[in-house]
Amino acid sequence: MKHIRNFCIIAHIDHGKSTLADRLLDFTGSVTDREKQEQLLDNMDLERERGITIKSHAIQMDYIHNDEKYVLNLIDTPGHVDFSYEVSRSIAACEGALLIVDAAQSIQAQTISNLYLALENDLEIIPVLNKIDLPSANPEEVTDDIVDLLGCDRDDVIPASAKTGLGIQEILDAIITRIPPPSGKVDAPLRALIFDSVYNPFRGVETFFRVINGTIKKGQHIKFVATGKDYYADEVGTLKLTQIKKDEIKTGDVGYLITGIKDAREVKVGDTITDAKNPTTEAVAGFEDVKPMVFAGIYPVDTEDYEELRASMEKLQLNDASLVFTPESSAALGFGFRCGFLGMLHLEIIQERLEREFDMTVITTVPNVSYYAYTNKNPDEVILVNNPSDLPEPSTLNRVEEPYIKASIITKADYVGPVMSLCIEKRGEITNQTYLTPERVELTFDMPLAEIVFDFYDRLKTVSRGYASFDYSPIGMRESKLVKVDVLLNGNKVDALSALLHVDNAYDIGKKMCEKLKELIPRQQFDIPIQAAIGSKIIARETVKALRKDVTAKCYGGDISRKRKLLEKQKKGKKRMRQVGNVEIPQEAFMAVLKLND
């Protein structure tokens, strides 16, 4: 066991984690020349297209140091704030972490939040200064920033370049000398932590685990503590680039397990595996429940696909434990699911994965957050409002509370003004402003989560020309003046387009929604009024004009009354059509409401 090292790589997005992981695999000879490719561990098409890591990936490397053979278990983690739950799971399975900082971009908001996550779990931190070969790199200054942040010596920071392979040897030596070996009792009952799982259509659920005490053997009778179900371990093994079968996985090691489970609901990430005959008395602690931030409805385009969508969501939840969903129905869209996501990028990725991996074409409604409503009748009873249609009538409503977050933004001193005005426009209150260096500022705001859900991240990048990094954490609920804005098409409410908005913004956003929908809704044979309303009060209106046939074309000359007769006849027909006509809303209309500022 003293020759095992479990470590993860944490960093801000685009600081070179995946490339560094490639170099470590090359250097330890874990991949052959044939298998080599850029960002080797990012094996999803989506990850490659977008150049981001979405899933944490575990891989084992063998390395000889001072003539002794060591086993290194690396878990590569995502860098985007929306996937912080993946990072927390990886950290729980490790003893040490490589903290990567880009020498050109310096410390970013996500670097700091991931670092605190690692320190809370008592991980040994090895700081690595990456990309020092770039012409824009500033290694001296960034090293000082890292020393200030960690309180370590300058000599502890390893300069490296994942592109050229510089410093890889030093990183591997530091992993072996600085990261402690796993501690655990070999002779104690089996106790293993599930940190990830994936659904394989041919073999059922594959579970990835880290053994904390005892050993797990092939054919062993095992039990999952949280679900209380027991199985036989059909196959166990270690995770190299491909899965390598083993007879047993010992204390401190990481591996995979196949038990032939076909039902995705039977495996919970963060659960404990133990021996069925001699179970452990305590489950593995330290796994928090996921707190979804953004909620949206996901509906099948064809209502007959509802059950198929449920099965796909369950399989996807296996691989992405931060996805939370409950069934719901909508008057406009039929049966579907109310899903909780960690952010907008997470929502986009889930929608893409459903389409690519499960061939499910889905409609996503306008994302929103959860509110607490209180009525006059019972002012202490909390009503959870996940959907604007759940909001009680305005006459019975006492108050509404919305979730607030603490937003930390690190940017260049030149962009402090535009960033501040953006945050204040989004109802943010500045709580702190710290100059990390003369050039770089950390701004802290208290903001309503609902305001950052839509286009905040994109606009932040725009006003700061890409130089701002953003991270947030929830700080609880606060009272706000919110109203429900409904969208009416042809006099009918479209519940999927309803939104809860702050009183001050309701008129502007209602007007913009109507204008946007006017562009997107195809013209029909009759006029379509698009209205935004608060309760029974209409606050904005646009009209999609009817397509009209030129019925007077056959009238050559003659009295005007002949033309008028034909036009009156057409008008009656249009009126009748409008009473019975249905308006189809294209999918773009649901998503366009988010991009009102474009």
Side-chain angles (χ1 to χ4, degrees), residues 126-129 139 142-144 146-147 150 152-160 178:
I126 300 175
V128 176
L129 185 63
V142 180
T143 305
D144 290 340
I146 296 173
V147 169
L150 288 175
C152 60
D153 294 333
R154 282 183 74 89
D155 301 342
D156 293 344
V157 182
I158 302 171
R178 291 202 225 164

Side-chain angles (χ1 to χ4, degrees), residues 146-208:
I146 296 173
V147 169
D148 289 346
L149 179 67
L150 288 175
C152 60
D153 294 333
R154 282 183 74 89
D155 301 342
D156 293 344
V157 182
I158 302 171
S161 164
K163 198 171 174 186
T164 60
L166 177 75
I168 302 299
Q169 171 85 55
E170 289 79 0
I171 292 172
L172 284 164
D173 292 347
I175 289 167
I176 287 163
T177 52
R178 291 202 225 164
I179 294 177
S183 56
K185 302 185 184 85
V186 183
D187 47 3
L190 169 67
R191 185 162 160 248
L193 163 75
I194 299 176
F195 66 85
D196 204 357
S197 52
V198 62
Y199 186 82
N200 182 325
F202 306 107
R203 313 179 77 184
V205 178
E206 296 176 1
T207 311
F208 303 139

Side-chain angles (χ1 to χ4, degrees), residues 54-55 82-83 85-86 89 196-198 269 313-324 341-342 346 349-350 353:
I54 294 167
K55 285 290 306 159
D82 281 10
F83 303 111
Y85 187 71
E86 287 280 329
R89 297 186 348 208
D196 204 357
S197 52
V198 62
V269 169
M313 299 274 270
E314 280 168 1
K315 288 171 190 168
L316 192 54
Q317 193 178 33
L318 259 187
N319 198 228
D320 184 348
S322 49
L323 172 67
V324 180
F341 307 95
L342 296 180
H346 190 207
I349 296 293
I350 293 289
R353 286 184 72 182

Side-chain angles (χ1 to χ4, degrees), residues 126-138:
I126 300 175
V128 176
L129 185 63
N130 196 14
K131 302 192 186 182
I132 59 166
D133 58 319
L134 287 183
S136 57
N138 198 341

